[in-house]
Amino acid sequence: HRDAEGSGRRRRAHRRGETMTAILPDTEDPETKAFWDATREGRLVVQQCSHCQRLRFPPMPGCPECHSTKAGWKDVSGRATLWSFNVVHGPTLPAFQDVVPFPVAIVSLAEAPHLRMLGNLISAPGAAINSVDPATLKVGMPLRVSFRQVEDVALPCWVPE
């Protein structure tokens, strides 16, 4: 499923029986495979340094604190706060043209506020990515993770609490 440049990003998503263009992560990349495996199971995980125990995201080969290359994965609660957001308007990829405008969030994880994740904001599990009115969003509001299935990828999304 590699793209023309060999980056590993896949470019097919299905919506209402049509093939649309979307960019999906390479879920078999050795650095991120454990993350994507966990999301498929409905779990949110972050890397944890095996030496100093520091949590980190996005996944990387070495600890920015102690420089150890040994790490494991730690389940986190999926609770977060809205750190920042943007509202996507057109033009956009064809897969998203029918759902603009929609908000995209940067969240701060409850277990480690220095960790940020990016994802769509949705009103409830399974809701559309344009289901949250951006006027209701406030930086600092509590969120919880939900997972949206796109092909074989479970993408973390964020639901206001």
Side-chain angles (χ1 to χ4, degrees):
H1 285 116
R2 296 211 173 258
D3 65 10
E5 294 84 34
S7 71
R9 293 178 297 173
R10 294 171 293 154
R11 296 187 177 269
R12 291 182 38 136
H14 299 280
R15 182 179 55 82
R16 287 180 278 186
E18 303 171 26
T19 299
M20 303 302 285
T21 301
I23 297 172
L24 296 173
D26 179 1
T27 59
E28 298 301 317
D29 180 306
E31 262 186 47
T32 61
K33 184 177 183 337
F35 176 81
W36 296 114
D37 289 348
T39 65
R40 272 190 218 99
E41 297 169 0
R43 298 182 301 115
L44 190 64
V45 298
V46 296
Q47 271 187 331
Q48 183 172 35
C49 177
S50 298
H51 180 72
C52 73
Q53 307 307 305
R54 181 177 173 92
L55 299 178
R56 64 184 189 241
F57 190 87
M60 59 189 82
C63 178
E65 187 72 23
C66 72
H67 309 293
S68 172
T69 57
K70 304 284 189 231
W73 292 88
K74 178 177 176 61
D75 283 87
V76 292
S77 67
R79 291 176 314 144
T81 57
L82 184 59
W83 188 76
S84 184
F85 69 95
N86 189 28
V87 180
V88 177
H89 298 274
T92 187
L93 293 172
F96 301 103
Q97 68 190 16
D98 294 340
V99 294
V100 292
F102 60 89
V104 176
I106 299 175
V107 305
S108 178
L109 298 181
E111 289 83 359
H114 69 282
L115 296 183
R116 310 273 194 268
M117 285 190 180
L118 179 72
N120 292 113
L121 284 156
I122 56 177
S123 61
I129 64 171
N130 62 354
S131 61
V132 171
D133 178 359
T136 65
L137 299 174
K138 304 280 186 247
V139 169
M141 70 188 294
L143 306 168
R144 63 181 156 64
V145 75
S146 181
F147 298 97
R148 185 169 70 96
Q149 195 70 35
V150 179
E151 292 188 18
D152 63 340
V153 182
L155 298 171
C157 295
W158 302 95
V159 179
E161 290 197 311

